[in-house]
Amino acid sequence: MSNETILVDTNILIYAWDHKKGNKQRKAIETLDRFKGQLCLSTQNLSEFTAVMMRNQCDLNWLHQTVRRFTHLMTVLPLTQEEIVMAIQAVQKHQMHYWDAQIWAVAHTNGVASIFTEDGPIGETIEGVTYINPLVGK
């Protein structure tokens, strides 16, 4: 994992801010700190993070500042129409949920070899993209 780019799924971002998650919060923060120079997001991750935080009635000024921090600290990869089509195909070919397939398509298209997530086929590699759950272990 040395110096490879890693896509961070939304659940890791949410856990980093959720003080009710205890150990998951600690591990999410440690992960974001340890791999800070290697992490990227998709536009879907930012949208999903925003929607979850708004649903939980967070302060909108805080949310604005937090999303801006994410975009300054991590590369944000766009979601294109080609990746939407790839995601649909991945749902059929790899039996993925559509939203997970979208994240996989963005990673695959951009040469990102790993996705940090709590969801998906942890430990598996699908067409060059490996799913890793950084919240398990130590």
Side-chain angles (χ1 to χ4, degrees):
M1 275 217 155
S2 61
N3 285 343
E4 76 176 35
T5 303
I6 304 161
L7 193 145
V8 180
D9 197 3
T10 311
N11 50 37
I12 306 301
L13 300 177
I14 292 169
Y15 288 143
W17 296 103
D18 190 349
H19 65 277
K20 293 177 258 172
K21 293 297 181 184
N23 196 42
K24 284 186 179 184
Q25 182 189 35
R26 181 183 59 77
K27 288 183 178 186
I29 291 168
E30 287 173 1
T31 297
L32 294 174
D33 186 50
R34 179 176 174 206
F35 294 95
K36 63 184 160 201
Q38 297 172 252
L39 303 176
C40 67
L41 301 167
S42 76
T43 52
Q44 177 194 330
N45 298 123
L46 283 178
S47 294
E48 188 176 13
F49 176 81
T50 300
V52 169
M53 292 295 119
M54 290 177 77
R55 191 169 47 243
N56 286 293
Q57 300 177 342
C58 77
D59 177 76
L60 294 182
N61 288 324
W62 171 88
L63 182 58
H64 178 260
Q65 291 172 356
T66 301
V67 168
R68 302 273 294 165
R69 272 191 216 113
F70 284 154
T71 63
H72 282 72
L73 295 173
M74 295 178 253
T75 300
V76 180
L77 303 172
L79 174 66
T80 66
Q81 61 191 26
E82 289 83 11
E83 289 156 347
I84 291 170
V85 171
M86 281 180 68
I88 294 167
Q89 293 168 338
V91 167
Q92 183 177 19
K93 185 176 180 182
H94 302 294
Q95 290 73 51
M96 301 171 105
H97 294 285
Y98 176 71
W99 300 112
D100 295 334
Q102 247 190 24
I103 292 168
W104 168 83
V106 169
H108 185 268
T109 299
N110 288 280
V112 176
S114 300
I115 298 174
F116 278 169
T117 185
E118 190 179 46
D119 301 324
I122 304 301
E124 290 184 32
T125 300
I126 299 175
E127 296 185 37
V129 179
T130 302
Y131 286 78
I132 300 167
N133 183 349
L135 306 179
V136 295
K138 300 178 187 178

